[in-house]
Short mmCIF file of all heavy atoms in Angstrom, two decimals:
data_model
loop_
_atom_site.label_atom_id
_atom_site.label_comp_id
_atom_site.label_asym_id
_atom_site.label_seq_id
_atom_site.Cartn_x
_atom_site.Cartn_y
_atom_site.Cartn_z
N THR A 5 90.23 -27.95 -368.60
CA THR A 5 90.03 -26.52 -368.85
C THR A 5 88.94 -26.32 -369.91
O THR A 5 88.06 -25.47 -369.75
CB THR A 5 91.34 -25.87 -369.36
OG1 THR A 5 92.37 -26.28 -368.52
CG2 THR A 5 91.22 -24.38 -369.40
N SER A 6 88.97 -27.11 -370.95
CA SER A 6 87.95 -26.90 -371.99
C SER A 6 86.57 -27.31 -371.46
O SER A 6 85.55 -26.74 -371.86
CB SER A 6 88.29 -27.67 -373.25
OG SER A 6 88.12 -29.05 -373.03
N GLU A 7 86.51 -28.24 -370.52
CA GLU A 7 85.22 -28.61 -369.92
C GLU A 7 84.63 -27.41 -369.17
O GLU A 7 83.44 -27.11 -369.29
CB GLU A 7 85.43 -29.78 -368.97
CG GLU A 7 84.12 -30.43 -368.57
CD GLU A 7 84.30 -31.45 -367.44
OE1 GLU A 7 85.46 -31.74 -367.08
OE2 GLU A 7 83.27 -31.91 -366.90
N ILE A 8 85.53 -26.72 -368.42
CA ILE A 8 85.07 -25.52 -367.70
C ILE A 8 84.58 -24.44 -368.66
O ILE A 8 83.53 -23.83 -368.49
CB ILE A 8 86.18 -24.98 -366.78
CG1 ILE A 8 86.41 -25.98 -365.64
CG2 ILE A 8 85.82 -23.61 -366.21
CD1 ILE A 8 87.58 -25.63 -364.74
N GLN A 9 85.37 -24.27 -369.74
CA GLN A 9 84.96 -23.25 -370.72
C GLN A 9 83.63 -23.58 -371.38
O GLN A 9 82.77 -22.73 -371.57
CB GLN A 9 86.04 -23.12 -371.80
CG GLN A 9 87.25 -22.37 -371.29
CD GLN A 9 88.33 -22.28 -372.35
OE1 GLN A 9 88.31 -23.00 -373.35
NE2 GLN A 9 89.28 -21.38 -372.13
N GLU A 10 83.48 -24.88 -371.66
CA GLU A 10 82.24 -25.34 -372.30
C GLU A 10 81.04 -25.08 -371.38
O GLU A 10 80.00 -24.57 -371.79
CB GLU A 10 82.36 -26.85 -372.59
CG GLU A 10 81.17 -27.44 -373.30
CD GLU A 10 80.79 -26.65 -374.54
OE1 GLU A 10 81.69 -26.21 -375.31
OE2 GLU A 10 79.57 -26.42 -374.73
N LEU A 11 81.27 -25.37 -370.09
CA LEU A 11 80.21 -25.16 -369.10
C LEU A 11 79.85 -23.66 -369.01
O LEU A 11 78.67 -23.27 -368.95
CB LEU A 11 80.72 -25.66 -367.73
CG LEU A 11 79.69 -26.19 -366.73
CD1 LEU A 11 78.78 -27.24 -367.37
CD2 LEU A 11 80.43 -26.81 -365.54
N GLY A 12 80.89 -22.85 -369.03
CA GLY A 12 80.68 -21.41 -368.95
C GLY A 12 79.86 -20.93 -370.15
O GLY A 12 78.92 -20.13 -370.02
N ARG A 13 80.19 -21.43 -371.34
CA ARG A 13 79.48 -21.01 -372.55
C ARG A 13 78.01 -21.44 -372.47
O ARG A 13 77.10 -20.65 -372.74
CB ARG A 13 80.15 -21.66 -373.76
CG ARG A 13 79.96 -20.88 -375.04
CD ARG A 13 80.76 -21.45 -376.18
NE ARG A 13 82.19 -21.54 -375.85
CZ ARG A 13 82.94 -22.66 -376.02
NH1 ARG A 13 82.39 -23.77 -376.46
NH2 ARG A 13 84.22 -22.65 -375.70
N SER A 14 77.80 -22.69 -372.06
CA SER A 14 76.42 -23.18 -372.04
C SER A 14 75.61 -22.42 -370.98
O SER A 14 74.44 -22.10 -371.18
CB SER A 14 76.42 -24.70 -371.86
OG SER A 14 75.87 -25.06 -370.60
N ALA A 15 76.28 -22.11 -369.83
CA ALA A 15 75.56 -21.35 -368.79
C ALA A 15 75.19 -19.97 -369.33
O ALA A 15 74.06 -19.48 -369.15
CB ALA A 15 76.42 -21.20 -367.54
N ARG A 16 76.11 -19.33 -370.06
CA ARG A 16 75.82 -17.99 -370.57
C ARG A 16 74.62 -18.01 -371.52
O ARG A 16 73.72 -17.18 -371.45
CB ARG A 16 77.06 -17.43 -371.29
CG ARG A 16 76.89 -15.98 -371.72
CD ARG A 16 78.18 -15.36 -372.29
NE ARG A 16 79.33 -15.64 -371.42
CZ ARG A 16 80.42 -16.28 -371.85
NH1 ARG A 16 80.54 -16.68 -373.10
NH2 ARG A 16 81.43 -16.52 -371.02
N GLN A 17 74.59 -19.05 -372.36
CA GLN A 17 73.45 -19.16 -373.30
C GLN A 17 72.14 -19.38 -372.55
O GLN A 17 71.12 -18.79 -372.86
CB GLN A 17 73.68 -20.34 -374.25
CG GLN A 17 74.60 -19.97 -375.38
CD GLN A 17 75.01 -21.19 -376.21
OE1 GLN A 17 74.48 -22.29 -376.02
NE2 GLN A 17 75.96 -20.97 -377.11
N ALA A 18 72.21 -20.28 -371.53
CA ALA A 18 70.99 -20.59 -370.78
C ALA A 18 70.45 -19.34 -370.07
O ALA A 18 69.24 -19.10 -370.06
CB ALA A 18 71.24 -21.70 -369.78
N ILE A 19 71.41 -18.57 -369.54
CA ILE A 19 70.98 -17.35 -368.83
C ILE A 19 70.36 -16.34 -369.81
O ILE A 19 69.30 -15.77 -369.57
CB ILE A 19 72.17 -16.73 -368.08
CG1 ILE A 19 72.53 -17.64 -366.90
CG2 ILE A 19 71.84 -15.32 -367.57
CD1 ILE A 19 73.90 -17.36 -366.31
N ALA A 20 71.01 -16.20 -370.96
CA ALA A 20 70.50 -15.24 -371.94
C ALA A 20 69.15 -15.69 -372.48
O ALA A 20 68.30 -14.87 -372.84
CB ALA A 20 71.50 -15.08 -373.09
N ALA A 21 68.94 -17.03 -372.53
CA ALA A 21 67.70 -17.54 -373.10
C ALA A 21 66.53 -17.44 -372.14
O ALA A 21 65.37 -17.52 -372.54
CB ALA A 21 67.88 -18.99 -373.54
N ALA A 22 66.81 -17.28 -370.82
CA ALA A 22 65.71 -17.21 -369.85
C ALA A 22 64.88 -15.96 -370.09
O ALA A 22 65.41 -14.86 -370.14
CB ALA A 22 66.27 -17.24 -368.44
N GLN A 23 63.56 -16.14 -370.27
CA GLN A 23 62.70 -15.01 -370.59
C GLN A 23 61.86 -14.52 -369.39
O GLN A 23 61.09 -13.58 -369.52
CB GLN A 23 61.75 -15.36 -371.75
CG GLN A 23 62.48 -15.61 -373.07
CD GLN A 23 63.30 -14.40 -373.53
OE1 GLN A 23 62.94 -13.27 -373.28
NE2 GLN A 23 64.45 -14.68 -374.17
N SER A 24 62.01 -15.21 -368.25
CA SER A 24 61.26 -14.76 -367.08
C SER A 24 62.12 -15.03 -365.84
O SER A 24 63.02 -15.88 -365.89
CB SER A 24 59.95 -15.53 -366.97
OG SER A 24 60.21 -16.88 -366.66
N PRO A 25 61.87 -14.35 -364.76
CA PRO A 25 62.61 -14.59 -363.52
C PRO A 25 62.54 -16.07 -363.13
O PRO A 25 63.51 -16.64 -362.65
CB PRO A 25 61.91 -13.70 -362.50
CG PRO A 25 61.32 -12.60 -363.32
CD PRO A 25 60.91 -13.23 -364.62
N GLN A 26 61.37 -16.67 -363.36
CA GLN A 26 61.18 -18.09 -363.03
C GLN A 26 62.11 -18.97 -363.86
O GLN A 26 62.83 -19.84 -363.34
CB GLN A 26 59.71 -18.43 -363.29
CG GLN A 26 59.33 -19.89 -363.21
CD GLN A 26 59.49 -20.41 -361.77
OE1 GLN A 26 59.53 -19.62 -360.83
NE2 GLN A 26 59.62 -21.73 -361.62
N ALA A 27 62.16 -18.72 -365.17
CA ALA A 27 63.02 -19.50 -366.05
C ALA A 27 64.49 -19.29 -365.67
O ALA A 27 65.32 -20.22 -365.75
CB ALA A 27 62.79 -19.08 -367.50
N LEU A 28 64.80 -18.09 -365.24
CA LEU A 28 66.17 -17.76 -364.86
C LEU A 28 66.58 -18.57 -363.60
O LEU A 28 67.68 -19.11 -363.51
CB LEU A 28 66.30 -16.28 -364.61
CG LEU A 28 67.69 -15.77 -364.28
CD1 LEU A 28 68.66 -16.01 -365.44
CD2 LEU A 28 67.66 -14.28 -363.91
N THR A 29 65.64 -18.65 -362.65
CA THR A 29 65.91 -19.40 -361.42
C THR A 29 66.19 -20.87 -361.75
O THR A 29 67.11 -21.50 -361.22
CB THR A 29 64.71 -19.28 -360.47
OG1 THR A 29 64.49 -17.90 -360.20
CG2 THR A 29 64.94 -20.04 -359.17
N GLU A 30 65.40 -21.37 -362.71
CA GLU A 30 65.60 -22.76 -363.11
C GLU A 30 66.94 -22.96 -363.79
O GLU A 30 67.66 -23.93 -363.53
CB GLU A 30 64.47 -23.20 -364.05
CG GLU A 30 63.17 -23.50 -363.30
CD GLU A 30 61.95 -23.53 -364.22
OE1 GLU A 30 62.14 -23.65 -365.46
OE2 GLU A 30 60.84 -23.41 -363.68
N ALA A 31 67.29 -22.00 -364.66
CA ALA A 31 68.57 -22.10 -365.38
C ALA A 31 69.74 -22.07 -364.38
O ALA A 31 70.69 -22.85 -364.48
CB ALA A 31 68.68 -20.95 -366.37
N ARG A 32 69.62 -21.17 -363.39
CA ARG A 32 70.69 -21.07 -362.39
C ARG A 32 70.83 -22.41 -361.65
O ARG A 32 71.94 -22.89 -361.42
CB ARG A 32 70.35 -19.96 -361.39
CG ARG A 32 71.40 -19.76 -360.31
CD ARG A 32 70.96 -18.79 -359.25
NE ARG A 32 71.95 -18.73 -358.19
CZ ARG A 32 72.04 -19.61 -357.21
NH1 ARG A 32 71.19 -20.63 -357.13
NH2 ARG A 32 73.00 -19.50 -356.30
N ALA A 33 69.68 -23.01 -361.30
CA ALA A 33 69.71 -24.27 -360.55
C ALA A 33 70.44 -25.37 -361.34
O ALA A 33 71.13 -26.21 -360.78
CB ALA A 33 68.30 -24.70 -360.20
N ARG A 34 70.29 -25.32 -362.67
CA ARG A 34 70.93 -26.36 -363.48
C ARG A 34 72.46 -26.31 -363.38
O ARG A 34 73.13 -27.30 -363.57
CB ARG A 34 70.50 -26.22 -364.94
CG ARG A 34 69.11 -26.81 -365.22
CD ARG A 34 68.94 -27.17 -366.68
NE ARG A 34 69.07 -26.05 -367.60
CZ ARG A 34 68.12 -25.15 -367.81
NH1 ARG A 34 67.00 -25.23 -367.16
NH2 ARG A 34 68.30 -24.17 -368.66
N TYR A 35 72.97 -25.11 -363.06
CA TYR A 35 74.43 -24.99 -362.95
C TYR A 35 74.89 -24.91 -361.50
O TYR A 35 75.80 -25.61 -361.07
CB TYR A 35 74.92 -23.76 -363.72
CG TYR A 35 74.66 -23.95 -365.19
CD1 TYR A 35 73.47 -23.52 -365.77
CD2 TYR A 35 75.57 -24.65 -365.99
CE1 TYR A 35 73.20 -23.75 -367.10
CE2 TYR A 35 75.31 -24.88 -367.33
CZ TYR A 35 74.13 -24.42 -367.88
OH TYR A 35 73.85 -24.68 -369.18
N LEU A 36 74.24 -24.09 -360.69
CA LEU A 36 74.73 -23.82 -359.35
C LEU A 36 73.94 -24.54 -358.26
O LEU A 36 74.33 -24.50 -357.10
CB LEU A 36 74.75 -22.32 -359.08
CG LEU A 36 75.54 -21.46 -360.07
CD1 LEU A 36 75.54 -19.99 -359.64
CD2 LEU A 36 76.98 -21.97 -360.21
N GLY A 37 72.82 -25.13 -358.60
CA GLY A 37 72.01 -25.83 -357.60
C GLY A 37 72.77 -27.04 -357.05
O GLY A 37 73.84 -27.39 -357.56
N ARG A 38 72.18 -27.64 -356.02
CA ARG A 38 72.89 -28.76 -355.39
C ARG A 38 73.19 -29.87 -356.39
O ARG A 38 74.22 -30.52 -356.33
CB ARG A 38 72.06 -29.32 -354.24
CG ARG A 38 72.47 -28.71 -352.89
CD ARG A 38 71.98 -29.49 -351.70
NE ARG A 38 70.60 -29.92 -351.82
CZ ARG A 38 70.21 -31.18 -351.79
NH1 ARG A 38 71.08 -32.15 -351.65
NH2 ARG A 38 68.94 -31.48 -351.89
N LYS A 39 72.27 -30.06 -357.35
CA LYS A 39 72.48 -31.12 -358.34
C LYS A 39 72.99 -30.53 -359.65
O LYS A 39 72.98 -31.24 -360.68
CB LYS A 39 71.18 -31.88 -358.58
CG LYS A 39 70.76 -32.70 -357.38
CD LYS A 39 69.45 -33.39 -357.67
CE LYS A 39 68.95 -34.14 -356.44
NZ LYS A 39 67.52 -34.44 -356.55
N GLY A 40 73.45 -29.26 -359.63
CA GLY A 40 73.86 -28.60 -360.86
C GLY A 40 75.24 -29.04 -361.34
O GLY A 40 76.02 -29.60 -360.59
N SER A 41 75.52 -28.71 -362.61
CA SER A 41 76.77 -29.15 -363.23
C SER A 41 78.00 -28.57 -362.55
O SER A 41 79.02 -29.24 -362.39
CB SER A 41 76.82 -28.74 -364.70
OG SER A 41 75.55 -28.50 -365.20
N VAL A 42 77.94 -27.30 -362.14
CA VAL A 42 79.12 -26.70 -361.49
C VAL A 42 79.36 -27.34 -360.13
O VAL A 42 80.51 -27.64 -359.77
CB VAL A 42 78.94 -25.17 -361.36
CG1 VAL A 42 80.13 -24.54 -360.64
CG2 VAL A 42 78.79 -24.54 -362.75
N SER A 43 78.27 -27.60 -359.40
CA SER A 43 78.41 -28.24 -358.10
C SER A 43 79.03 -29.64 -358.27
O SER A 43 79.89 -30.07 -357.49
CB SER A 43 77.07 -28.36 -357.39
OG SER A 43 76.41 -27.12 -357.46
N ALA A 44 78.59 -30.32 -359.34
CA ALA A 44 79.13 -31.66 -359.59
C ALA A 44 80.63 -31.58 -359.86
O ALA A 44 81.43 -32.39 -359.35
CB ALA A 44 78.42 -32.28 -360.77
N LEU A 45 81.01 -30.54 -360.60
CA LEU A 45 82.41 -30.34 -360.94
C LEU A 45 83.25 -30.11 -359.66
O LEU A 45 84.35 -30.66 -359.49
CB LEU A 45 82.53 -29.12 -361.86
CG LEU A 45 83.73 -29.07 -362.81
CD1 LEU A 45 83.79 -30.32 -363.67
CD2 LEU A 45 83.62 -27.82 -363.69
N LEU A 46 82.67 -29.31 -358.76
CA LEU A 46 83.38 -29.02 -357.50
C LEU A 46 83.63 -30.30 -356.71
O LEU A 46 84.67 -30.49 -356.08
CB LEU A 46 82.57 -28.02 -356.65
CG LEU A 46 82.73 -26.55 -357.01
CD1 LEU A 46 81.70 -25.70 -356.26
CD2 LEU A 46 84.15 -26.06 -356.66
N ARG A 47 82.60 -31.17 -356.77
CA ARG A 47 82.73 -32.42 -355.99
C ARG A 47 83.86 -33.32 -356.50
O ARG A 47 84.43 -34.10 -355.77
CB ARG A 47 81.41 -33.18 -355.99
CG ARG A 47 80.45 -32.65 -354.92
CD ARG A 47 79.31 -33.62 -354.65
NE ARG A 47 78.40 -33.76 -355.80
CZ ARG A 47 77.41 -32.90 -356.06
NH1 ARG A 47 77.21 -31.86 -355.27
NH2 ARG A 47 76.66 -33.09 -357.11
N THR A 48 84.20 -33.17 -357.80
CA THR A 48 85.28 -34.00 -358.35
C THR A 48 86.67 -33.51 -357.95
O THR A 48 87.66 -34.20 -358.17
CB THR A 48 85.22 -34.04 -359.89
OG1 THR A 48 85.50 -32.73 -360.38
CG2 THR A 48 83.87 -34.53 -360.38
N LEU A 49 86.75 -32.32 -357.38
CA LEU A 49 88.06 -31.75 -357.03
C LEU A 49 88.83 -32.64 -356.06
O LEU A 49 90.05 -32.77 -356.13
CB LEU A 49 87.90 -30.34 -356.41
CG LEU A 49 87.46 -29.21 -357.34
CD1 LEU A 49 87.36 -27.91 -356.59
CD2 LEU A 49 88.46 -29.08 -358.50
N GLY A 50 88.09 -33.27 -355.18
CA GLY A 50 88.70 -34.11 -354.16
C GLY A 50 89.55 -35.26 -354.73
O GLY A 50 90.50 -35.72 -354.12
N GLU A 51 89.17 -35.63 -355.97
CA GLU A 51 89.89 -36.74 -356.59
C GLU A 51 91.25 -36.29 -357.16
O GLU A 51 92.05 -37.12 -357.58
CB GLU A 51 89.06 -37.34 -357.72
CG GLU A 51 87.75 -37.95 -357.24
CD GLU A 51 86.70 -38.05 -358.36
OE1 GLU A 51 87.10 -37.90 -359.53
OE2 GLU A 51 85.51 -38.21 -358.03
N LEU A 52 91.48 -34.99 -357.23
CA LEU A 52 92.69 -34.49 -357.91
C LEU A 52 93.89 -34.40 -356.97
O LEU A 52 93.76 -34.37 -355.75
CB LEU A 52 92.41 -33.10 -358.49
CG LEU A 52 91.27 -33.00 -359.51
CD1 LEU A 52 91.02 -31.55 -359.87
CD2 LEU A 52 91.61 -33.81 -360.75
N ASP A 53 95.08 -34.26 -357.61
CA ASP A 53 96.30 -34.01 -356.84
C ASP A 53 96.15 -32.67 -356.16
O ASP A 53 95.54 -31.77 -356.73
CB ASP A 53 97.55 -33.86 -357.75
CG ASP A 53 97.81 -35.09 -358.55
OD1 ASP A 53 97.18 -36.13 -358.25
OD2 ASP A 53 98.60 -34.96 -359.51
#
Side-chain angles (χ1 to χ4, degrees):
T5 312
S6 72
E7 193 190 352
I8 292 175
Q9 285 178 343
E10 182 51 41
L11 210 51
R13 207 173 304 129
S14 113
R16 186 173 313 121
Q17 279 171 8
I19 290 164
Q23 294 302 328
S24 68
Q26 171 66 19
L28 184 63
T29 301
E30 283 163 18
R32 180 188 175 279
R34 280 203 299 282
Y35 295 91
L36 304 183
R38 265 197 315 121
K39 292 179 185 162
S41 339
V42 177
S43 312
L45 206 55
L46 277 170
R47 276 195 294 277
T48 65
L49 289 180
E51 297 157 14
L52 300 173
D53 299 348

